[in-house]
Each structure stands twice: as structure tokens, then as C-alpha cells.
């Protein structure tokens, strides 16, 4: 085993991906999400209790059509009442608004995940990076896993560092078969390459393939498993299963997504760490690439 040197910690070039980077591969923009929920043409959006509750809330409190609010405005509205512990109405108290926020997160997860497929564009991006200069940093505000799943085009010459500590790094001590994953900050094989490059991929607002335990605060990485099933209200699908419970305390795992609001409140230490890491990368970069 070899210890990867402290390398690529201050890359001179940092790429920042926004929603447009995933749109070409079919992932919906934020502006497309609310209309999809209201139209309910998708079977799971039409029939699941989660989507029905959310649709009821949206149609009761927000205009539709040209006057429809943005996703940020809806979440900002919900966050205002929750943060100030104010009931919206007799029917919608703080408890109910917290439940609606959770429903919203599940529906957003579902809509983005069902359109997330393998991306040849990101595959080509990684291959060019590996050829020209692999010592770069990448920051993305997108939840989708297009960049993650295309990374195998340059693995194992390059390793992803999400800048987080995953339960996966402690398998089999975790007690469940989380997907094996290399911790690039610890001793690792060089796989026959003279140099293995650690490449930071900071997913600033969370990721569809991160499963969070709100009890112990740990995260499980489920690579190539990003779906959410609204009908079952679970990460489980009809054909196979994903990890749904924390291996340490049995608590139900949830999506780890920071929903879009105009004012971000990073009470969760994980997002605080990601913002700190992103600030460090940007502050030390000589050039930024915005996509």
C-alpha cells in the first residue's frame, strides 16, 4: 500500500458546474420541476400520497401558469414559517410544513433521478482533464450523479475525493454491504500507475447517491444507485434494493439535498464543511471555469 501524497490540494484550475451542465443530458431545470408536479402526468406523481399532499399544498397557496413562483420562492416561503416557528394556517402548522418540506425533497429527488442517465458529455470532460491536467478541482451545485458515474472513464488513475467521510470507508465494520469505495486520503494501491491523482469533487448542495442518518449524522455513498420510489416512499425499487437503514443505529436513511432558497442556512455540519471546502478551492484558484 502507498500513501497518496498531499497533492492537488490547491489546484490552479477549478471548474464550477451549474444546472446548465446537466440540462443537455435531460436533467430538468428548476423552472421545469413545479409544472411537472402540478401536471401529474407521471404515474408516481399522480398516485403517490407524497406527491398528492405536495400538490394540494401548492395549488392552495400559489398561483399557477405565468404567475407561478420559482422553486426558490416556494422553499423560501416554507422556510420562513418553519424558521420562525409560525403556523401558516390552522391546517398547516409547523409540523405539517416540516412534513411538506420532506415531501418536496422526495419529489425533487424523484424527478431528477428518473432523468439521470449515463452522460457521454461528462465522460469526455473527465478524459480531457486526465489528458491535459488531472490536478483540477470541481464544484457542482447539481444533485444528479452524471459527473460521478462518468468518472469511471479515468478511474483508477484518478480517484474522487468528495471531501466527506462516508460509512463506506469502514466496510465491513459497518455491518452492511455498502458499496466498497476508496478513501483517497488514506493508504491505497497505485494500481500500476506511477501516479494516482486525488481529484476533489465537491457537491455543494448534496447528491442523489448520498444517504443520510439524522440520528448519528453519518453518510452512506450508494454509487450508481440514485433513485427514489414515491409509490413505496423509499429508496427501494421494485427490481432491486438499496440501503435504507443506518447500519449503526437502524434509523431510516434520508436524502441529503439542500433545497434551493434565496437564503441558505447551513445548520447541518455536512453542508458547512462542503461550503468551507469550496471556499478554499475557489480562494486558491488561479482560474475558474464556469459551466
Amino acid at each position: 500500500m502507498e500513501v497518496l501524497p498531499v497533492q492537488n490540494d490547491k489546484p490552479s484550475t477549478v471548474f464550477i458546474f451549474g444546472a446548465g451542465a446537466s440540462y443537455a443530458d435531460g436533467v430538468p431545470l428548476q423552472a421545469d420541476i413545479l409544472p411537472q408536479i402540478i401536471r401529474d402526468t407521471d404515474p408516481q406523481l399522480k398516485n403517490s400520497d407524497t406527491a398528492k399532499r405536495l400538490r394540494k399544498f401548492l395549488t392552495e397557496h400559489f398561483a399557477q401558469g405565468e404567475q407561478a413562483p420559482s422553486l426558490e420562492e416556494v422553499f423560501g416561503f416554507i422556510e420562513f414559517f418553519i424558521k420562525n416557528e409560525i403556523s401558516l394556517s390552522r391546517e398547516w402548522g409547523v409540523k405539517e410544513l416540516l412534513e411538506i418540506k420532506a415531501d418536496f425533497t422526495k419529489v425533487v429527488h424523484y424527478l431528477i433521478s428518473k432523468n439521470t442517465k449515463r452522460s457521454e458529455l461528462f465522460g469526455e470532460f473527465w478524459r480531457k482533464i486526465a489528458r491535459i491536467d488531472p490536478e483540477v478541482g470541481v464544484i457542482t451545485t447539481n444533485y444528479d450523479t452524471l459527473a460521478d458515474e462518468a468518472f469511471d472513464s479515468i478511474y483508477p488513475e484518478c480517484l474522487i475525493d468528495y471531501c466527506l467521510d462516508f460509512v463506506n470507508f469502514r466496510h465491513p465494520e459497518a455491518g452492511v454491504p455498502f458499496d466498497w469505495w476508496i478513501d483517497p486520503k488514506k493508504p491505497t494501491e497505485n494500481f500500476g500507475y506511477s501516479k494516482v491523482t486525488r481529484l476533489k469533487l465537491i457537491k455543494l448542495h448534496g447528491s442523489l447517491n448520498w444517504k443520510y442518518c439524522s440520528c448519528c449524522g453519518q453518510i452512506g455513498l450508494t454509487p450508481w444507485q440514485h433513485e427514489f420510489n414515491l409509490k413505496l416512499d423509499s429508496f427501494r425499487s421494485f427490481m432491486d434494493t438499496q440501503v435504507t437503514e443506518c447500519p449503526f443505529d437502524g434509523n431510516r436513511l434520508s436524502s441529503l439535498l439542500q433545497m434551493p432558497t434565496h437564503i441558505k442556512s447551513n445548520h447541518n455540519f455536512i453542508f458547512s464543511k462542503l461550503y468551507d471546502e469550496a471556499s478554499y478551492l475557489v480562494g486558491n484558484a488561479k482560474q475558474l471555469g464556469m459551466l
Side-chain angles (χ1 to χ4, degrees):
M1 300 291 280
E2 294 185 4
V3 178
L4 283 175
V6 178
Q7 43 130 335
N8 200 22
D9 202 45
K10 297 181 180 179
S12 60
T13 301
V14 173
F15 292 93
I16 302 176
F17 294 149
S22 301
Y23 184 67
D25 284 301
V27 176
L29 298 173
Q30 289 185 11
D32 301 328
I33 290 177
L34 284 179
Q36 287 188 47
I37 296 172
I38 298 300
R39 285 198 303 267
D40 69 20
T41 54
D42 178 278
Q44 289 200 41
L45 286 179
K46 183 176 182 178
N47 299 315
S48 71
D49 292 336
T50 299
K52 287 178 182 178
R53 284 193 301 269
L54 180 57
R55 192 157 48 248
K56 178 178 184 293
F57 176 81
L58 292 173
T59 53
E60 283 182 0
H61 295 95
F62 297 97
Q64 308 304 317
E66 294 183 0
Q67 302 300 316
S70 66
L71 204 61
E72 291 93 339
E73 290 169 332
V74 174
F75 269 105
F77 179 81
I78 296 172
E79 283 287 351
F80 171 82
F81 287 93
I82 293 174
K83 183 177 180 180
N84 292 283
E85 298 184 348
I86 301 173
S87 296
L88 174 59
S89 65
R90 180 178 178 179
E91 181 181 4
W92 300 101
V94 175
K95 176 178 177 292
E96 288 72 26
L97 291 174
L98 285 167
E99 292 172 351
I100 280 294
K101 181 181 177 182
D103 289 341
F104 222 145
T105 302
K106 294 173 184 177
V107 170
V108 170
H109 188 142
Y110 168 73
L111 285 173
I112 295 177
S113 69
K114 80 165 193 169
N115 290 288
T116 298
K117 302 175 178 65
R118 184 168 181 83
S119 171
E120 290 302 321
L121 294 175
F122 272 103
E124 182 60 25
F125 169 78
W126 290 127
R127 287 189 289 271
K128 284 186 176 180
I129 289 298
R131 286 197 304 268
I132 299 171
D133 179 13
E135 295 201 0
V136 302
V138 176
I139 300 170
T140 177
T141 60
N142 297 327
Y143 308 131
D144 63 70
T145 57
L146 294 174
D148 317 41
E149 295 179 9
F151 197 84
D152 62 2
S153 61
I154 60 172
Y155 171 87
E157 188 174 4
C158 297
L159 301 177
I160 291 181
D161 180 4
Y162 285 102
C163 299
L164 292 173
D165 179 41
F166 291 114
V167 174
N168 309 63
F169 300 155
R170 291 182 290 283
H171 176 67
E173 289 81 0
V176 295
F178 273 97
D179 291 84
W180 175 73
W181 200 260
I182 293 175
D183 185 347
K185 296 183 290 297
K186 293 182 178 179
T188 182
E189 297 284 355
N190 61 10
F191 305 103
Y193 292 96
S194 59
K195 180 181 180 182
V196 177
T197 303
R198 177 171 62 96
L199 196 155
K200 290 186 177 183
L201 173 61
I202 300 175
K203 307 195 78 172
L204 203 57
H205 294 162
S207 181
L208 300 183
N209 58 2
W210 296 354
K211 307 300 184 285
Y212 176 63
C213 176
S214 59
C215 184
C216 65
Q218 299 193 82
I219 315 168
L221 173 67
T222 54
W224 305 285
Q225 295 182 346
H226 54 251
E227 298 86 0
F228 191 90
N229 192 306
L230 287 177
K231 186 173 182 179
L232 298 179
D233 191 29
S234 172
F235 297 115
R236 294 183 183 276
S237 67
F238 295 105
M239 302 300 294
D240 55 16
T241 60
Q242 296 191 37
V243 175
T244 59
E245 293 182 352
C246 176
F248 297 101
D249 51 43
N251 187 48
R252 186 180 184 187
L253 298 174
S254 60
S255 301
L256 186 61
L257 307 177
Q258 187 178 62
M259 291 293 104
T261 59
H262 292 299
I263 300 177
K264 298 288 191 302
S265 57
N266 293 322
H267 298 304
N268 189 306
F269 75 96
I270 294 170
F271 289 117
S272 295
K273 177 174 175 53
L274 292 173
Y275 274 82
D276 286 344
E277 291 281 357
S279 298
Y280 180 78
L281 279 188
V282 172
N284 288 284
K286 295 182 179 178
Q287 57 182 352
L288 299 176
M290 311 288 287
L291 300 173

